[in-house]
Amino acid sequence: MTAPSPLHTPSVRELTVRGLILGALITIVFTASNVYLGLRIGLTFASSIPAAVISMAVLRALGRSSLLENNMVQSQASAAGTLSCVFATFPGLIMTGFWHSFPFWQTAGLSLAGGIAGVLFTIPLRRALVTESALPYPEGVAAAEILRAGGENGNSKSLSALVGGGIVAGLFSFACSGLQILADTVSITGAAGAAVFRLSGGLSLALLGAGYLVGLAGGLAMLLGCVLAWGVGVPWLTAHMPNPEHLGAADFATAIWLHKVRFIGAGAIAIASLWTLVELMGPVLRGLSSVFRGRSGTMVPDADRDLSPRSMIGLFAVTILLLGGLFAAFLAPMAHGIWPAVCAAVLFCVVFGFIMAAACGYMAGIVGSSSSPISGIIIIAAVLCALMILALESLGLMPAEMMADGQTLATGFTILLLSAITATVAISNDNLQDLKTGQLVGASPWKQEVALIAGCVVGAAVIPPVLNLLYQAYGFAGAPMPRPGMDPAHALAAPQPALIAMIAKGIFTQSLDWSMLCIGFGLGAVLIGLDLLLRRRHLALPPLGVAVGIYLPASVSVTLAVGAVLGWALNRKLKERRSTTGGFGEADRLPEAVTEHDASIGTMVASGFIVGESLTGVALAVLSGALGRDDALSLAPWLPAGAPAILGLIAFCAACFWFSRKVLQK
């Protein structure tokens, strides 16, 4: 039997009551911030790293803290912060007229059921995607480095690199998003005849750091996807499609990418996700076998022990009953003969949820939780869910009321089902990142899984009041205003709920354009074939990485690629130094110096970039929510036109230079 790790002696705190309470308090802040940001701009931030930093500060002040206790806090808080991704679906029920507010028990219950399913799915996936995988998990590695640097064994130079990176990124982010004197993106638009070309990059140090941690293969795959989207797809479609609204070149190119090319990426993600699951089937089955074979906790080392099979079966049964009850409660007042639809919906949540959990976990392992395209997964789920309902209707198993009155009930039921799916894939996406952190710091997986479920409980309780508060304060674009006299110009954009509602309604009314999705399906198959050919030459082109690059904004893909290339160049330079044996006057001391300031310093600086921008984003989100505006500190009106873009690019290049010097210094 493997000896237990010294970290797991009784004297080491890990899963504690005070840690659970602290995690719950952090959850409230991060969930509210993420829901607000998601409804305002359609993006959220990963909360695991900020949670780790806050946890270290608070628990250190309380005394007798440990690295493992801090890890449990960040696991719980990050799970709850990620559960806020249900902002992408629930408001669609208000936009379609089914709800006039967010009922607590239905909203919280579906969020909780989907979240618990996500945690359960990550248990066998942990072995397939973490234990037996070489995926980089940039945010998980960054969180582990932060926890180590803050622990008793933390290296002062590593901690200095982390703090330095955090300060630089925090100041940069504050200047971009707070003072608005630096642009957060730069773009160039050109035309060749009727074709429009556009190149853009994000000036984000967090993305730069994530790219450094992702590595060259993942970064270049995403860059290829970006080139296919903006160098092939957008120019071709802008040259052959009408522009009835007479948009400018940049706006027309963006509209084509958003409404056409992005669906190609979603289709490619669907095919690549299925292929990823096929490739992972062996490790997943071994993981399931290992989980249910380990009947006695004494037979499994603590550092590799998951929740017991009995606990998993019990939680899974509760999840199934909760989903079925909530789906039935939604349909019962408006339809008869609902049970075939309810059973099909529950089965869809389980089967599709597990498939997408694997795909999202793989994508998070490549690009990190923040950049994983959950929106693309939700689009795929919306299409498949609507097709499932149509198939049941053709078999006579769907209530007649479902398809009456313009299929509005079918649209609402699709959105409700998608809310549970969203919670599942979002939690799976984040939890595997947390489990990677736990693996690196020696945490007990089963205790982390308990903390993750606790995070889902707290997050599910917080989400309904936050959604109601934001709806009553601002309203949603495209939805009835909650109170008379409200200014629609101040309504939250809520882009994802509007898109999901449009897709579901478009399928049921047969008005959805399938051409782009079908092109994406074909492209995904081509990418898989190309990857198989390259593997024979010991090369790789991750199909899912390319598909993600098509789907994500160019500002994300390009900056991640810049970070990946920068990391490759710096690590190559370090290897050259390490192999130097003479000729520089420091032949004996040079290898030791390089070892002390090797790529781990780069990892810490990159982690600091993610920490600094994340914490600044939290602070600015809270400020924006309190003041009801996001330009309260803006100095942009005092600057000449174009100055923020120039200043932002200069500052970004300066930060890259500082990063390189920090990594290469002896």
Side-chain angles (χ1 to χ4, degrees):
M1 184 180 67
T2 304
S5 167
L7 289 172
H8 295 88
T9 59
S11 62
V12 177
R13 291 174 177 263
E14 189 167 4
L15 186 62
T16 63
V17 173
R18 70 174 188 175
L20 291 173
I21 295 173
L22 176 59
L25 295 175
I26 297 174
T27 286
I28 296 173
V29 176
F30 284 175
T31 301
S33 299
N34 260 337
V35 171
Y36 173 77
L37 280 178
L39 291 173
R40 185 168 67 86
I41 63 175
L43 297 173
T44 60
F45 58 87
S47 52
S48 59
I49 292 173
V53 175
I54 296 172
S55 171
M56 286 190 296
V58 174
L59 292 180
R60 183 174 294 174
L62 294 176
R64 295 184 61 200
S65 65
S66 72
L67 179 150
L68 297 179
E69 186 181 20
N70 284 313
N71 178 60
M72 290 297 159
V73 174
Q74 72 87 15
S75 295
Q76 177 185 349
S78 67
T82 301
L83 197 63
S84 61
C85 286
V86 294
F87 79 83
T89 51
F90 277 128
L93 291 167
I94 287 183
M95 294 176 178
T96 52
F98 281 94
W99 286 355
H100 301 290
S101 64
F102 297 93
F104 179 84
W105 291 113
Q106 284 182 284
T107 307
L110 285 170
S111 301
L112 178 60
I116 293 176
V119 174
L120 295 177
F121 292 158
T122 57
I123 293 176
L125 292 176
R126 179 182 71 85
R127 287 174 164 78
L129 294 175
V130 177
T131 305
E132 301 180 18
S133 170
L135 292 173
Y137 286 99
E139 290 164 359
V141 173
E145 293 292 342
I146 291 164
L147 292 169
R148 287 167 173 165
E152 295 178 356
N153 297 325
N155 182 283
S156 60
K157 293 178 180 178
S158 297
L159 185 59
S160 174
L162 172 69
V163 173
I167 292 173
V168 170
L171 293 174
F172 187 92
S173 180
F174 182 71
C176 288
S177 303
L179 300 179
Q180 297 181 358
I181 58 175
L182 304 179
D184 56 5
T185 58
V186 291
S187 61
I188 300 174
T189 304
V196 179
F197 295 84
R198 193 162 187 242
L199 175 66
S200 62
L203 304 180
S204 165
L205 296 186
L207 287 176
L208 182 76
Y212 180 92
L213 298 173
V214 162
L216 190 63
L220 292 183
M222 293 188 65
L223 183 61
L224 175 59
C226 180
V227 170
L228 290 175
W230 291 93
V232 179
V234 170
W236 174 264
L237 291 173
T238 51
H240 292 84
M241 294 194 66
N243 183 8
E245 298 181 7
H246 304 290
L247 299 173
D251 292 336
F252 185 42
T254 301
I256 288 294
W257 172 78
L258 184 63
H259 298 294
K260 297 293 183 181
V261 176
R262 203 174 197 191
F263 283 88
I264 296 177
I269 287 174
I271 298 301
S273 298
L274 292 175
W275 176 248
T276 298
L277 183 68
V278 170
E279 291 195 304
L280 293 174
M281 189 60 67
V284 167
L285 292 177
R286 287 196 297 272
L288 284 170
S289 175
S290 177
V291 167
F292 288 97
R293 191 171 56 244
R295 299 178 183 273
S296 173
T298 59
M299 300 300 295
V300 182
D302 202 36
D304 195 41
R305 189 191 312 166
D306 292 296
L307 288 173
S308 68
R310 181 178 298 177
S311 299
M312 291 177 60
I313 293 172
L315 286 170
F316 189 69
V318 170
T319 300
I320 295 297
L321 292 174
L322 189 56
L323 286 173
L326 291 170
F327 291 155
F330 180 82
L331 291 176
M334 296 175 281
H336 299 85
I338 62 173
W339 289 108
V342 170
C343 294
V346 171
L347 183 63
F348 182 85
C349 285
V350 173
V351 175
F352 184 84
F354 184 77
I355 293 173
M356 290 298 100
C360 276
Y362 186 86
M363 287 185 282
I366 296 175
V367 302
S369 301
S370 300
S371 301
S372 187
I374 293 178
S375 296
I377 298 299
I378 300 173
I379 289 173
I380 298 168
V383 173
L384 294 179
C385 178
L387 292 178
M388 176 196 71
I389 291 176
L390 289 175
L392 291 174
E393 193 268 340
S394 67
L395 295 173
L397 299 176
M398 191 62 61
E401 297 88 345
M402 190 78 80
M403 296 302 176
D405 300 325
Q407 295 84 24
T408 53
L409 182 56
T411 301
F413 188 60
T414 297
I415 296 172
L416 191 80
L417 197 160
L418 289 175
S419 299
I421 289 287
T422 300
T424 298
V425 299
I427 288 296
S428 299
N429 177 70
D430 180 76
N431 285 0
L432 288 169
Q433 203 84 234
D434 291 334
L435 291 170
K436 179 65 175 181
T437 301
Q439 180 198 38
L440 293 174
V441 301
S444 302
W446 76 267
K447 293 180 181 178
Q448 265 194 290
E449 289 149 12
V450 170
L452 294 170
I453 292 173
C456 291
V457 172
V458 177
V462 171
I463 286 169
V466 170
L467 284 171
N468 276 317
L469 176 65
L470 292 175
Y471 178 54
Q472 294 297 324
Y474 303 105
F476 302 143
M481 288 292 105
R483 300 188 310 276
M486 294 182 67
D487 185 359
H490 295 157
L492 296 172
Q496 279 97 337
L499 177 63
I500 295 302
M502 180 191 73
I503 290 173
K505 186 175 181 180
I507 292 175
F508 291 124
T509 58
Q510 299 181 3
S511 59
L512 181 67
D513 182 5
W514 284 91
S515 59
M516 296 297 109
L517 283 171
C518 291
I519 292 173
F521 296 154
L523 178 60
V526 171
L527 292 173
I528 291 170
L530 183 59
D531 181 47
L532 293 175
L533 290 175
L534 289 174
R535 289 184 190 180
R536 296 182 178 181
R537 299 177 178 270
H538 304 289
L539 300 173
L541 181 67
L544 201 51
V546 179
V548 169
I550 296 172
Y551 181 84
L552 288 179
S555 58
V556 174
S557 300
V558 169
T559 310
L560 281 168
V562 169
V565 173
L566 179 62
W568 170 80
L570 293 176
N571 287 328
R572 183 176 180 181
K573 182 68 174 177
L574 289 171
K575 289 180 181 179
E576 290 177 357
R577 283 188 177 182
R578 190 177 292 113
S579 63
T580 302
T581 57
F584 293 91
E586 296 184 71
D588 294 330
R589 293 186 298 157
L590 189 55
E592 179 182 353
V594 172
T595 299
E596 190 173 355
H597 295 278
D598 63 2
S600 65
I601 297 298
T603 300
M604 293 304 294
V605 177
S607 302
F609 282 168
I610 299 174
V611 170
E613 187 164 318
S614 298
L615 292 179
T616 304
V618 172
L620 291 176
V622 172
L623 180 64
S624 297
L627 300 178
R629 48 185 295 201
D630 58 2
D631 60 351
L633 305 177
S634 177
L635 300 178
W638 300 92
L639 297 176
I646 296 173
L647 293 175
L649 185 59
I650 293 173
F652 184 79
C653 292
C656 291
F657 179 75
W658 175 83
F659 183 18
S660 302
R661 288 289 302 272
K662 188 75 174 176
V663 173
L664 296 176
Q665 69 182 0
K666 299 179 182 179

